[in-house]
Amino acid sequence: MSTKNNILTFLLLLTGICLIWMETRPEFSFSLLNFRSCDCDTLTSTDVDPWFITHFNRSVEPFMSTKNNISERHFNWWKKLQYDRRNYAYYKATVEKLFQLLPSPPDEPSSGRCRTCSVVGNSGNLNDAHYGPLIDHQDLVIRINKGQTEGYEQHVGTRTTHRVMYPESASNISSNDTHIVLFPFKTKDLEWIIKATKTGLIGRQHSTKKGLVMVVNPSFMKYVHEIWLGKKGKYPSTGFMTLVLAIHLCEEVHVFGYGADSDGNWSHYWEELLNKKLRTGNHSGKHEYGIILKLAQSQKVKFYTGY
Ligand SMILES: *[C@@H]1O[C@H](CO)[C@@H](O)[C@H](O)[C@H]1NC(C)=O
Ligand SMILES: *[C@@H]1O[C@H](CO)[C@@H](O)[C@H](O)[C@H]1NC(C)=O
Ligand SMILES: *[C@@H]1O[C@H](CO)[C@@H](O)[C@H](O)[C@H]1NC(C)=O
Ligand SMILES: *[C@@H]1O[C@H](CO)[C@@H](O)[C@H](O)[C@H]1NC(C)=O
Ligand SMILES: *[C@@H]1O[C@H](CO)[C@@H](O)[C@H](O)[C@H]1NC(C)=O
Ligand SMILES: *[C@@H]1O[C@H](CO)[C@@H](O)[C@H](O)[C@H]1NC(C)=O
């Protein structure tokens, strides 16, 4: 009798704890129930959202390779981003040098297999979000710039399969199985990659594994700006381009750490916000955020706001 009562009490207690937990983290518990829900319907079904169809273009190659030279027209768009003084011929020669050093990234067509991505931005809304297990659970975990995991594992997870960086900040990546995804904004950035590869600043840890250093195709950046953002802003933020990149790499995309924190500030989850003004620089932060919401509404991404 007393054993029965104990069991009953235990079960009641457990239910209570679960209810409280679900109450406080409705989104998270919902997602747990839907773990591994990727059935490849998400982006490949024929009845996808018309808005999405007019934006998504699978034939735009996300990464540079010897196989997808950009046209002079695309180069002329790209060279204006940071006032590149080099001409098209110089650019092409530089790309040729680059791919004598770097292997072209392997073709990674989705091949019918369903791949899931976590895209982890750096917003302060990740503080206290408890998304760690959910982020780590996806096949690819893409982090941006300095987005760190040490000390924040519970909220942001531990795995990093891809780290997106601006070339000059890409030195000393310690992990030897993380893909480095570099966003070049001018020919000089490509020259930096060549130099850094030669001196071992990047790629040293990666030398035994091919294709771990990936360079984003300028044409892809143009596509994000023109098609996804309707040319709003000078050019897209790295965070937004990374999100579109994830849509190209994965059939199911989980988006974390974008937008403001619960106070409405644009802060980083690992540091105190010093600049209290919304810093979107040359980017159209509000417009980009609107597109993310639209993607979430049309169920092309799952967007976790952290609060
Ligand atoms: C998709 O991208 C390819 C390659 O850049 C281009 O040739 C094609 O016109 C694009 N399709 C649409 C519908 O914009
Ligand atoms: C791209 O350019 C390289 C070097 O100029 C050349 O070897 C290659 O054939 C070109 N590829 C295409 C598809 O035009
Ligand atoms: C990278 O590592 C080298 C050698 O360990 C060191 O001299 C350099 O200061 C480091 N650079 C950065 C940016 O941490
Ligand atoms: C990567 O690093 C781990 C531990 O630091 C090491 O055991 C492994 O052999 C390395 N792999 C390659 C391909 O260098
Ligand atoms: C965040 O925004 C609020 C206003 O919404 C402001 O009062 C507060 O000082 C901001 N916090 C920081 C750290 O800037
Ligand atoms: C906008 O871009 C230009 C050119 O790259 C740069 O000089 C300027 O500092 C940028 N402005 C902001 C606010 O980042």
Side-chain angles (χ1 to χ4, degrees):
M1 193 62 185
S2 110
T3 320
K4 217 173 178 181
N5 272 341
N6 279 344
I7 291 175
L8 203 68
T9 312
F10 173 71
L11 285 178
L12 277 173
L13 205 67
L14 196 68
T15 313
I17 289 170
C18 282
L19 280 177
I20 289 167
W21 183 62
M22 285 173 76
E23 200 75 63
T24 51
R25 300 238 64 89
E27 202 173 31
F28 185 50
S29 37
F30 169 80
S31 315
L32 273 180
L33 295 175
N34 288 279
F35 251 16
R36 283 292 159 193
S37 61
C38 183
D39 48 13
C40 280
D41 284 347
T42 333
L43 297 181
T44 50
S45 77
T46 47
D47 59 302
V48 280
D49 188 278
W51 171 80
F52 183 76
I53 289 178
T54 57
H55 288 71
F56 182 70
N57 185 347
R58 193 177 288 287
S59 13
V60 182
E61 292 285 341
F63 299 112
M64 276 181 136
S65 78
T66 47
K67 276 179 283 174
N68 57 23
N69 301 333
I70 66 170
S71 66
E72 184 155 13
R73 196 168 63 82
H74 285 200
F75 172 77
N76 285 336
W77 173 84
W78 184 70
K79 70 180 259 186
K80 287 194 194 113
L81 301 187
Q82 295 191 357
Y83 311 106
D84 195 350
R85 290 225 177 79
R86 300 300 190 180
N87 64 23
Y88 185 50
Y90 190 92
Y91 163 86
K92 283 208 291 191
T94 309
V95 171
E96 201 167 329
K97 270 189 228 157
L98 180 65
F99 283 101
Q100 281 162 11
L101 292 167
L102 288 185
S104 272
D107 294 322
E108 291 187 276
S110 302
S111 71
R113 198 178 99 66
C114 184
R115 197 154 53 167
T116 69
C117 268
S118 285
V119 188
V120 189
N122 294 326
S123 168
N125 68 34
L126 287 172
N127 269 321
D128 249 11
H130 297 270
Y131 291 144
L134 184 56
I135 288 173
D136 279 346
H137 190 74
Q138 312 309 325
D139 298 323
L140 307 190
V141 180
I142 307 173
R143 299 186 196 274
I144 300 168
N145 295 329
K146 287 190 227 159
Q148 62 190 69
T149 55
E150 300 82 7
Y152 302 90
E153 292 86 350
Q154 195 190 353
H155 306 304
V156 307
T158 58
R159 295 176 56 230
T160 306
T161 64
H162 292 67
R163 187 170 290 277
V164 165
M165 305 191 98
Y166 176 66
E168 284 182 34
S169 57
S171 44
N172 297 356
I173 308 274
S174 55
S175 165
N176 64 7
D177 56 4
T178 301
H179 294 76
I180 307 178
V181 177
L182 301 172
F183 274 91
F185 293 97
K186 51 191 173 310
T187 309
K188 222 172 141 217
D189 294 339
L190 300 175
E191 294 180 297
W192 185 91
I193 300 172
I194 292 172
K195 208 172 109 207
T197 306
K198 278 185 179 159
T199 58
L201 202 54
I202 55 168
R204 182 176 40 207
Q205 303 91 331
H206 299 81
S207 53
T208 51
K209 283 191 181 178
K210 293 198 170 221
L212 281 177
V213 178
M214 304 154 112
V215 186
V216 174
N217 183 1
S219 291
F220 184 82
M221 298 159 79
K222 183 171 185 283
Y223 150 75
V224 176
H225 185 239
E226 293 185 350
I227 307 297
W228 285 97
L229 293 182
K231 303 189 183 178
K232 294 255 167 46
K234 190 172 179 209
Y235 56 91
S237 70
T238 301
F240 188 79
M241 288 193 280
T242 304
L243 200 156
V244 179
L245 184 67
I247 296 174
H248 279 251
L249 297 178
C250 289
E251 281 72 31
E252 183 176 298
V253 177
H254 299 256
V255 179
F256 308 85
Y258 279 70
D261 58 26
S262 53
D263 291 333
N265 297 310
W266 281 45
S267 50
H268 288 151
Y269 63 81
W270 66 88
E271 64 190 3
E272 202 73 41
L273 180 67
L274 294 177
N275 182 355
K276 294 192 201 300
K277 276 203 314 193
L278 188 77
R279 291 162 303 145
T280 56
N282 285 321
H283 313 301
S284 182
K286 247 193 194 149
H287 187 70
E288 290 183 356
Y289 194 77
I291 301 292
I292 300 175
L293 290 179
K294 219 163 171 179
L295 278 166
Q297 275 156 17
S298 48
Q299 303 193 312
K300 298 308 152 205
V301 306
K302 290 185 183 164
F303 185 34
Y304 304 83
T305 56
Y307 50 84

